[in-house]
Amino acid sequence: MKTPDVCIIGAGSSGVCAGKALKARGIAFQIFEKGTQLGGMWRYENDNGQSSAYRSLHIDTSRKSLGYSDFPIPAHLPDYLSHEQMCGYLESYADHFGVREQVRFGSEVQRVEPRADGRWQVTLADGSTRDYRAVVVANGHLWSPRWPTFAGGFDGRQMHSHHYRTASPFEGQRVLVVGIGNSAVDIAVDLCRSARRVCLSTRRGAWLMPKYIMGIPTDRWGSFLNRHLHLPTRWTRSIVSRLAFLSIGDQRRFGIPRPAHPVWREHACVSQDLLSCVGHGWIAIKPDVRELHGDAVSFADGSREAFDTIVYATGYDTRFPFLDPDVFAVRDHEARLYRRIAVPGRPGLYFIGLVQPIGPTIPLVEVQARWLAAVLAGVVPLPDEATMQAEIDAHLKALRRRYVDSPRYTLEVDYREHAGQLRRDIQRAIA
Ligand SMILES: Cc1cc2nc3c(=O)[nH]c(=O)nc-3n(C[C@H](O)[C@H](O)[C@H](O)COP(=O)(O)OP(=O)(O)OC[C@H]3O[C@@H](n4cnc5c(N)ncnc54)[C@H](O)[C@@H]3O)c2cc1C
Ligand SMILES: NC(=O)c1ccc[n+]([C@@H]2O[C@H](COP(=O)([O-])OP(=O)(O)OC[C@H]3O[C@@H](n4cnc5c(N)ncnc54)[C@H](OP(=O)(O)O)[C@@H]3O)[C@@H](O)[C@H]2O)c1
């Protein structure tokens, strides 16, 4: 390879996939990875200190919906891969396409700064600097805990789901899990057989989706309706939720409130086990936390209960510690990126994987990577700054209209719409 002219930050699924796409276009790149191994989020106890994976984590996107288009996940693997299997798959992908050789492990990027000549200066933790024509940020967005602020104080242990690994430290304890995202639900299920009592608190409920409907992974039903019958995502999710009803019935029977918003306005909450655990009396559902009282917590329904530990599964803030916020920052409800990738007015700065899709992340980021490679190869020119800003404004308006008003939806995208737009740009050779 020629001297790298593009720097990629991170060797998780997004950074590796970006490298592969650049290589296919003959663009020389260097990946800097803070940890000593590949895999990012999917490497349990990753020595980068950033992985939110717990021991029992299995992906909630099924095998056939999940893999890269030109490197299918082997059929002997189960429908829902464990983090270990997922990490193994990412490693074989990187090796198959010769991306690993371009990764410099144990190299944390500490600063990324624009230079007067239009290039980007990258400073590593060892103090060395080099400059590039472009920087591709793929540092992951699910590692910096978002903490809620509740009135009062709690004397027991408080932790974020990011730091949860196994149930064993909580054996015999009374544990409150706050939130009803996928982390909250997985962790409550994981804890409930060994803890003395597990309560899950939710402020607005969620539409529960099982992992299987009639023995078929739920997202395969969605793919069939969405990609084969070309139904809009809104219809697809409404139909799938009706099918799910046949499988799980009315979740209110289990004390889980039905949200006031329709199913297509939220990020899917997928669990095959939650209702069964509630049905066995292992998990109790509570409304929003009202106040913390030393060793107890009171809730919006007036109930009060003592706990040993609170696990806040309240999601993540998006952070780029190596970037000056004046250069780029994500604020709640606002990530100003053209096509969710390019920063207007900052040519050469790009973000890959900075999305939370309705649908699988990994194949979506593959399309983003192809788009970016086409832009960097000069095949797909970007529009002027005013056009970029207008596209972003329209996207943010649609986002606010469509999804529930919560910081959780700042990076939400619809898989089909986003991938379709990027593919059209590549076909038309103009973004
Ligand atoms: C618990 C959990 C479950 C999930 N389940 C699913 C699922 O079922 N389906 C799905 O599609 N998605 C799922 N996701 C989303 C998942 O994050 C994405 O699928 C994807 O793997 C993210 O990859 P990434 O490369 O963008 O980020 P990461 O995997 O976080 O990788 C980022 C990499 O960047 C490196 N890095 C960060 N900062 C620096 C720096 N300054 N210098 C050098 N290197 C740096 C990190 O060390 C890391 O290796 C899940 C996420 C979580 C937290
Ligand atoms: N098995 C899997 O594949 C798996 C497992 C875990 C995570 N993930 C993925 O990882 C990403 C992050 O998931 P996550 O569950 O960690 O975070 P999340 O999706 O952001 O969910 C956070 C939850 O906490 C609630 N919450 C936030 N702030 C709150 C507050 N102040 N008071 C009360 N409740 C509050 C949110 O409620 P509101 O909706 O009301 O804001 C939501 O229920 C998602 O993309 C998810 O799909 C996947």
Side-chain angles (χ1 to χ4, degrees):
M1 261 202 172
K2 296 169 280 183
T3 310
D5 210 19
V6 176
C7 159
I8 299 175
I9 304 175
S13 56
S14 302
V16 165
C17 167
K20 185 243 174 190
L22 294 193
K23 192 172 176 188
R25 291 268 184 192
I27 300 169
F29 65 92
Q30 171 79 67
I31 302 183
F32 291 115
E33 168 52 51
K34 187 174 169 178
T36 58
Q37 296 184 79
L38 272 175
M41 222 292 304
W42 294 105
R43 184 168 292 282
Y44 182 64
E45 297 286 34
N46 193 325
D47 63 7
N48 66 2
Q50 273 192 210
S51 172
S52 301
Y54 27 89
R55 169 59 80 196
S56 63
L57 176 65
H58 280 251
I59 200 148
D60 63 11
T61 310
S62 75
R63 175 168 50 80
K64 286 188 179 164
S65 307
L66 177 69
Y68 296 108
S69 63
D70 49 4
F71 196 73
I73 298 178
H76 70 268
L77 290 174
D79 286 340
Y80 292 99
L81 274 65
S82 67
H83 52 77
E84 228 161 6
Q85 291 164 329
M86 197 54 218
C87 198
Y89 169 70
L90 293 177
E91 290 204 285
S92 46
Y93 176 80
D95 290 335
H96 181 80
F97 291 106
V99 177
R100 192 193 290 266
E101 298 89 89
Q102 302 308 320
V103 184
R104 217 181 101 174
F105 291 102
S107 302
E108 180 178 355
V109 170
Q110 280 201 331
R111 297 292 304 157
V112 173
E113 293 155 304
R115 288 171 27 135
D117 63 1
R119 291 174 69 82
W120 289 85
Q121 180 159 301
V122 172
T123 306
L124 301 181
D126 64 7
S128 62
T129 63
R130 50 204 83 191
D131 61 276
Y132 297 90
R133 128 174 115 98
V135 172
V136 178
V137 178
N139 69 326
H141 62 90
L142 297 170
W143 55 269
S144 176
R146 173 182 288 143
W147 296 91
T149 45
F150 294 130
F154 185 69
D155 300 333
R157 182 175 177 192
Q158 299 185 78
M159 61 183 288
H160 191 273
S161 55
H162 173 66
H163 294 110
Y164 177 88
R165 294 292 174 268
T166 67
S168 54
F170 309 95
E171 218 169 303
Q173 287 194 6
R174 299 156 300 177
V175 186
L176 172 66
V177 180
V178 178
I180 193 165
N182 288 306
S183 297
V185 167
D186 271 4
I187 290 170
V189 167
D190 197 38
L191 280 169
C192 73
R193 285 175 196 245
S194 50
R196 173 143 59 108
R197 178 161 167 84
V198 174
C199 294
L200 185 144
S201 154
T202 167
R203 59 183 173 185
R204 75 176 102 225
W207 295 98
L208 273 195
M209 287 286 164
K211 278 192 160 171
Y212 288 97
I213 297 174
M214 290 182 252
I216 307 286
T218 303
D219 59 6
R220 299 309 298 161
W221 291 92
S223 303
F224 174 72
L225 296 165
N226 201 255
R227 290 191 218 159
H228 294 278
L229 300 188
H230 302 291
L231 296 184
T233 305
R234 179 187 288 218
W235 291 17
T236 299
R237 292 210 55 201
S238 298
I239 294 169
V240 170
S241 77
R242 283 174 172 77
L243 289 172
F245 189 84
L246 297 176
S247 145
I248 63 177
D250 186 347
Q251 63 187 49
R252 288 174 298 192
R253 244 199 96 236
F254 297 81
I256 302 174
R258 293 175 84 172
H261 55 261
V263 66
W264 50 266
R265 293 196 68 199
E266 73 170 20
H267 189 73
C269 178
V270 186
S271 177
Q272 191 71 19
D273 304 317
L274 179 66
L275 293 186
S276 161
C277 292
V278 174
H280 286 77
W282 294 329
I283 297 177
I285 305 294
K286 291 279 184 186
D288 199 12
V289 170
R290 184 193 281 163
E291 194 173 340
L292 310 177
H293 306 270
D295 64 346
V297 177
S298 61
F299 297 93
D301 61 357
S303 64
R304 181 179 164 132
E305 198 166 325
F307 293 100
D308 302 297
T309 297
I310 303 177
V311 180
Y312 295 104
T314 43
Y316 295 88
D317 290 323
T318 307
R319 290 184 49 226
F320 310 102
F322 42 82
L323 276 178
D324 189 319
D326 287 345
V327 173
F328 181 76
V330 168
R331 298 184 176 84
D332 282 348
H333 302 288
E334 212 168 275
R336 295 197 66 84
L337 289 175
Y338 178 69
R339 299 287 198 245
R340 326 296 69 78
I341 299 173
V343 188
R346 298 283 183 194
L349 183 61
Y350 302 97
F351 290 78
I352 281 289
L354 194 52
V355 282
Q356 176 159 282
I358 301 272
T361 307
I362 285 167
L364 183 61
V365 175
E366 183 186 6
V367 186
Q368 286 194 328
R370 289 208 180 118
W371 183 94
L372 176 60
V375 168
L376 288 173
V379 174
V380 173
L382 292 177
D384 59 28
E385 192 181 335
T387 309
M388 288 196 198
Q389 297 287 10
E391 189 264 0
I392 295 168
D393 288 340
H395 166 71
L396 294 178
K397 204 168 152 201
L399 191 76
R400 281 182 212 116
R401 219 176 25 236
R402 173 153 174 187
Y403 297 109
V404 174
D405 179 21
S406 158
R408 185 183 181 201
Y409 294 97
T410 304
L411 302 177
E412 203 76 18
V413 292
D414 179 298
Y415 180 100
R416 194 161 153 227
E417 283 170 22
H418 186 43
Q421 182 65 72
L422 298 175
R423 285 196 188 105
R424 280 194 297 280
D425 288 349
I426 298 171
Q427 273 159 12
R428 290 182 313 142
I430 183 158

